[in-house]
Amino acid sequence: MTDFPFSRADLIITTRLREAFGTEVELEEANGKSVPYELLAEFEVHGQGYAVLQSLNSKNEEYELLRVEFTAEGLPELHTIEDDEEWENIAELYDEWSLPDDQG
């Protein structure tokens, strides 16, 4: 982990998604079906927003990690993280942040 670019100090908790949508959001799958998700966390790292969502249809340990972008009107939108390295780095930071201090 010597090349890990972020630390807990880089993570800033935000609430813009929660303020806009509440604690649940619906995402549309490729087949057009809407799936409800719980907003587990939202945060910013070096000015870029991220959201952690978990499907309400399956309560396994897996989560969705998405980028938060804002429209010209200031409304938040969720986007897939296309860059594998960015996804890995942010997922690792979220995992580190969400573990108790004595485990992280």
Side-chain angles (χ1 to χ4, degrees):
M1 259 209 296
T2 57
D3 61 347
F4 184 62
F6 305 118
S7 72
R8 287 182 187 203
D10 295 318
L11 188 145
I12 299 169
I13 301 300
T14 59
T15 60
R16 290 178 74 180
L17 278 175
R18 194 170 305 272
E19 291 167 4
F21 302 120
T23 58
E24 292 182 16
V25 297
E26 285 193 8
L27 299 181
E28 189 173 312
E29 293 182 335
N31 64 7
K33 181 181 173 189
S34 289
V35 178
Y37 283 83
E38 178 182 6
L39 178 60
L40 298 179
E42 62 180 291
F43 55 90
E44 215 174 83
V45 178
H46 294 200
Q48 176 58 59
Y50 297 96
V52 182
L53 306 172
Q54 184 176 47
S55 173
L56 291 173
N57 293 343
S58 77
K59 281 291 192 179
N60 59 23
E61 295 295 318
E62 292 184 30
Y63 57 80
E64 298 288 330
L65 180 60
L66 302 168
R67 287 185 109 188
V68 179
E69 304 285 340
F70 292 91
T71 65
E73 295 81 25
L75 299 173
E77 294 181 332
L78 297 171
H79 296 273
T80 302
I81 299 173
E82 301 292 338
D83 182 270
D84 290 340
E85 184 176 348
E86 177 185 7
W87 192 97
E88 289 291 330
N89 286 335
I90 297 303
E92 190 170 335
L93 178 62
Y94 172 70
D95 288 344
E96 177 185 314
W97 171 78
S98 62
L99 289 173
D101 282 337
D102 61 342
Q103 293 182 20

